Amino acid sequence: MLPDINAQQVWARLMQDIKQQANDDVNAYAQYLRATGRDFALATARIFDGSFEDDFNYEMAIPSARTFLWEKKSGVWTVGSEVPWVESTKDITNHYIVLNAATPAASTVLGFGHKTGTFEVTFLTDVRTSWLEKVNKAPVSEVRVKPKKDFTAEERILMRDLVRPPGKF
């Protein structure tokens, strides 16, 4: 995820990346994201079927999430019509954009929703811990948070890179 920049700035970076990595083809970029990922993004599964499981599996809900189609106007990719794909994947027919407002300029969230065998969303803006609802299928309220004093030296170094702002762990 790209720290310290807003969704509008991330949108500009995404448009550049789609051009550079997929010859300005959203469908090809969806395949590229799924196959390689990006170091500035967080890939997530929308459903459990087909999702990768690890030691820690998180479920989250984005407040005020909205989904939009991709639309090309005058040769430029834009946010298209809003579609009701937040609650269910059954009607998803194409790749889509996830925002929490009507435009990237007004949004704090930017996600690239892709339907490439499984349903996934790659978030390009920070994902807040307050959006987490479950960890390993247990409500967040039941999950013990490891105190800073219990972190190993190696974990402290890792956390310095992960926590926003960087170095403030």
Side-chain angles (χ1 to χ4, degrees), residues 57-165:
N57 300 288
Y58 304 94
E59 293 177 51
M60 67 178 169
I62 309 289
S64 304
R66 298 168 71 174
T67 50
F68 301 84
L69 293 173
W70 285 92
E71 188 174 318
K72 205 162 197 179
K73 290 183 181 175
S74 302
V76 177
W77 287 109
T78 64
V79 175
S81 302
E82 188 166 3
V83 287
W85 295 345
V86 171
E87 297 297 323
S88 172
T89 58
K90 73 178 180 70
D91 294 324
I92 293 177
T93 57
N94 216 332
H95 310 300
Y96 55 97
I97 301 159
V98 178
L99 302 171
N100 64 350
T103 65
S107 186
T108 58
V109 173
L110 177 57
F112 185 114
H114 30 117
K115 181 182 179 184
T116 52
T118 60
F119 297 101
E120 301 173 10
V121 177
T122 300
F123 288 97
L124 300 129
T125 49
D126 282 339
V127 173
R128 297 182 181 167
T129 56
S130 61
W131 298 342
L132 293 178
E133 294 186 334
K134 295 182 181 179
V135 178
N136 294 339
K137 299 185 182 175
V140 168
S141 61
E142 296 176 11
V143 177
R144 182 175 100 51
V145 176
K146 187 175 187 176
K148 282 185 185 180
K149 66 179 182 58
D150 292 346
F151 279 74
T152 66
E154 193 174 276
E155 289 170 330
R156 287 176 185 271
I157 291 168
L158 174 64
M159 291 305 292
R160 269 198 316 250
D161 295 337
L162 296 176
V163 173
R164 302 270 189 258

Side-chain angles (χ1 to χ4, degrees), residues 47-65:
I47 57 175
F48 288 108
D49 291 342
S51 67
F52 177 78
E53 290 199 24
D54 204 349
D55 293 340
F56 297 97
N57 300 288
Y58 304 94
E59 293 177 51
M60 67 178 169
I62 309 289
S64 304

